[in-house]
Amino acid sequence: MSSVLDQLLEMGFDKSRAELAVKKSDGLPDAMDWLERTQDTPIEELLEEEESSANIAKVADGTVAMSLVCNECGKKFRTQGEAEFHANKSGHTDFAESTEEIAPLTEEQKQQRIKELREKAQEKKAGQAAAEKEEQKRNEKIRQKATRECHELKEEIQRKEQIKEAAKKRQEKLDDIEAKKRIKAKIEADKEERRRKAEEAKAAREGRSIPAPVSPPPVPAPSRPAATHNEARLRLQTSNGNVMKTFPADTTLFEVAQLLETENGVTVTKFVQNFPRKVFEGNLDLGKTLKEAGLVPSAALIVQ
């Protein structure tokens, strides 16, 4: 049959506490009862209490002490460990040995006590496991939230960079058009200068006077085709109400979204057009100009 210490160790109790429990008790039920009472007391504190035990008066010579009694409150104890635990909790220090015997537990009572203590130990372990599981869930939620916020921040930065890049490309396109216009004008001016000099040289050879330069008749500006539009008038249906805005035709949907966020506090993930049915979302769609998206000269969009 295994010893009380071995049985306590098999139940999972710490060796230092189990040894101290065996020393301060009489049998397995007493040891488990002592462990239950002192489960929240640090082992260092228990060892200090062991070194400075309560003052216990001895019975007269030739008499056998059967129990211990607290002279301050009259409570009786079966073992010295129980008396010391009472002294620690109550602050009582006056104890004495007693010849009065405390009825021992029956075998059935011992087994029932052991069963109850084991169930309490299991409940405590189950409670600790549940608390650890809840803590893991909380930590996982915190981690997921941090990951989601980091991902959203990256997407926001990427979206703003795309808007800047689209604006840069549009400006580069306009600058290129202006540069081509200047080059064409310079070529025309050079051609006119060469023609004028050729006319002057020919008149000099023929002995004619140099005719005054004749201003060419004004060229009427070509009428703009009816299908050409430079602006888009948009009716934007947001959660805060309808917004009417007019944009240049080369404005990107990214820039429209950025304007709504800045002026109206609306976060845009996509635009929806009902007639004809179109959905604009993602980097490819939002990078299109209003003209490329077919929203010129006017359109109604639902902001989501």
Side-chain angles (χ1 to χ4, degrees), residues 5 12 39 74 84 109 144 198 229 263 285:
L5 178 60
Q39 60 182 346
E84 290 177 352
Q109 289 174 328
Q144 290 178 354
H229 300 281
E263 294 186 358
D285 286 345

Side-chain angles (χ1 to χ4, degrees), residues 218-234:
V219 179
S223 60
R224 180 178 297 176
T228 301
H229 300 281
N230 295 326
E231 293 182 339
R233 182 173 177 79
L234 301 181

Side-chain angles (χ1 to χ4, degrees), residues 226-252:
T228 301
H229 300 281
N230 295 326
E231 293 182 339
R233 182 173 177 79
L234 301 181
R235 182 169 67 84
L236 302 166
Q237 182 179 336
T238 71
S239 58
N240 298 331
N242 291 336
V243 178
M244 300 296 296
K245 290 285 185 181
T246 301
F247 300 93
D250 56 357
T251 302
T252 65

Side-chain angles (χ1 to χ4, degrees), residues 51-261:
E51 294 177 358
S52 55
S53 301
N55 182 28
I56 303 176
K58 302 293 184 181
V59 295
D61 293 340
T63 306
V64 178
M66 304 301 293
S67 62
L68 297 172
V69 62
C70 176
N71 293 328
E72 296 183 31
C73 65
K75 190 173 182 178
K76 296 181 175 61
F77 307 97
R78 185 179 289 107
T79 65
Q80 182 174 340
E82 293 178 1
E84 290 177 352
F85 179 79
H86 174 74
N88 180 57
K89 293 298 182 181
S90 64
H92 298 169
T93 57
D94 188 8
F95 293 83
E97 291 181 341
S98 172
T99 57
E100 183 179 347
E101 181 179 5
I102 300 175
L105 297 175
T106 65
E107 187 63 30
E108 183 178 353
Q109 289 174 328
K110 288 181 180 180
Q111 294 300 323
Q112 180 63 28
R113 183 60 178 162
I114 291 173
K115 181 181 177 181
E116 291 174 356
L117 293 173
R118 282 178 174 171
E119 288 176 351
K120 288 184 178 180
Q122 290 176 355
E123 288 176 1
K124 182 179 179 181
K125 288 182 179 179
Q128 290 175 343
E132 290 176 359
K133 188 175 182 180
E134 288 298 320
E135 181 66 19
Q136 289 176 354
K137 287 183 179 179
R138 286 194 295 270
N139 292 338
E140 179 63 18
K141 287 182 179 179
I142 293 172
R143 186 193 66 78
Q144 290 178 354
K145 181 180 179 182
T147 301
R148 184 171 59 254
E149 290 177 348
C150 181
H151 180 67
E152 291 174 353
L153 179 60
K154 287 181 179 178
E155 285 187 341
E156 179 66 15
I157 293 173
Q158 183 182 13
R159 190 166 69 90
K160 290 183 178 180
E161 289 297 325
Q162 288 171 337
I163 293 173
K164 290 181 181 178
E165 185 64 24
K168 180 181 177 182
K169 287 182 178 179
R170 188 174 69 254
Q171 186 60 45
E172 288 176 351
K173 185 177 179 180
L174 294 175
D175 293 344
D176 186 54
I177 292 173
E178 289 298 322
K180 288 180 179 179
K181 287 181 179 179
R182 289 194 298 270
I183 294 172
K184 185 177 179 180
K186 183 68 169 59
I187 292 173
E188 292 296 328
D190 290 345
K191 285 172 64 177
E192 180 61 26
E193 180 65 18
R194 288 195 299 271
R195 188 194 64 76
R196 186 183 63 77
K197 288 182 178 180
E199 286 290 334
E200 289 177 355
K202 182 178 179 181
R205 287 194 303 271
E206 295 176 353
R208 293 183 292 105
S209 60
I210 302 173
V214 180
S215 299
V219 179
S223 60
R224 180 178 297 176
T228 301
H229 300 281
N230 295 326
E231 293 182 339
R233 182 173 177 79
L234 301 181
R235 182 169 67 84
L236 302 166
Q237 182 179 336
T238 71
S239 58
N240 298 331
N242 291 336
V243 178
M244 300 296 296
K245 290 285 185 181
T246 301
F247 300 93
D250 56 357
T251 302
T252 65
L253 287 169
F254 268 126
E255 292 171 297
V256 176
Q258 185 67 22
L259 182 69
L260 286 173
E261 182 176 348

